[in-house]
Amino acid sequence: MTTMLRVTAIAGILTVSGLALATTFAQDGPPPGGPGVHRRGSGGPGGPGGFGGPGGPMGGLLGELGQGLRALELTDAQREQIRGIAKSHEAEFREIGERLRTAHQSVEALVTADTVDEAAIRARSSEVAAVQADADVMRAKVHQEVFGVLTAEQQAKARELRAQREARTKERMENRKGRRPGGQDRF
């Protein structure tokens, strides 16, 4: 499987299946390890696959809310509302996640086949894009529902956190580019 396809498949599956885990965001108390502790690694709040980490379900699912939901100081009522939103969409995200995984697997089977069938690969890739579009629309709807639970101040803070995250991501990409011979990507 090509690196790009692998990354896309993993990100898509985590994005659409992550809603079931959204209740973790709405739980009371500080992150594991206590306040100020930022665990990294698989499952850690800032690690790969962790909430708000690279490829983490909430980072992709809720956009600017994903990484900084804890920083927004939610009230108990807001936590309950977000739990309700997550619960109400759980089956939909599970279904879209399954569709996305199946679509990616069908493309992978064609890509790794003994012969190249360009028309079939293009057709299956279009199916993947259609399912991804469904997932993105669902993500947008859920994001809007969750965003509606927040106060104006929390919404502003969420936008600020998103801008900061995007700036850090851009800086990391520039740093990586500078370390490669000729400053070019490896693809």
Side-chain angles (χ1 to χ4, degrees):
M1 187 186 280
T2 66
T3 302
M4 225 28 196
L5 181 60
R6 209 175 300 144
V7 169
T8 302
I10 292 169
I13 290 167
L14 287 175
T15 297
V16 297
S17 64
L19 184 60
L21 303 173
T23 55
T24 301
F25 262 126
Q27 290 178 0
D28 296 320
V37 174
H38 300 287
R39 288 187 321 151
R40 296 282 183 205
S42 184
F51 293 104
M58 294 300 103
L61 178 64
L62 299 175
E64 68 238 32
L65 297 181
Q67 194 166 24
L69 209 51
R70 288 191 190 274
L72 300 180
E73 301 176 10
L74 299 174
T75 65
D76 290 342
Q78 287 173 314
R79 286 186 194 100
E80 284 303 315
Q81 286 179 286
I82 292 171
R83 282 186 190 114
I85 291 168
K87 189 84 170 150
S88 73
H89 293 288
E90 191 173 342
E92 294 167 275
F93 273 98
R94 207 174 283 130
E95 184 266 333
I96 289 175
E98 180 61 34
R99 284 176 47 210
L100 190 60
R101 187 176 72 237
T102 300
H104 278 291
Q105 287 172 341
S106 69
V107 169
E108 181 61 19
L110 290 169
V111 167
T112 59
D114 292 338
T115 59
V116 175
D117 183 347
E118 186 174 335
I121 293 170
R122 289 182 184 281
R124 296 287 184 187
S125 295
S126 293
E127 291 173 15
V128 170
V131 176
Q132 184 62 54
D134 290 344
D136 291 341
V137 168
M138 177 58 65
R139 236 175 22 115
K141 289 177 180 179
V142 172
H143 177 271
Q144 187 174 28
E145 284 183 56
V146 172
F147 212 68
V149 170
L150 304 178
T151 65
E153 293 81 17
Q154 289 170 324
Q155 290 175 1
K157 178 70 173 177
R159 288 184 184 107
E160 177 185 327
L161 291 169
R162 178 179 186 213
Q164 290 171 359
R165 187 175 66 249
E166 287 175 354
R168 285 190 308 270
T169 299
K170 183 178 179 180
E171 183 179 330
R172 279 193 303 270
M173 294 302 289
E174 291 299 319
N175 287 340
R176 286 181 190 157
K177 226 176 194 181
R179 287 187 291 206
R180 293 192 178 128
Q184 296 179 2
D185 291 332
R186 292 185 224 184
F187 296 105

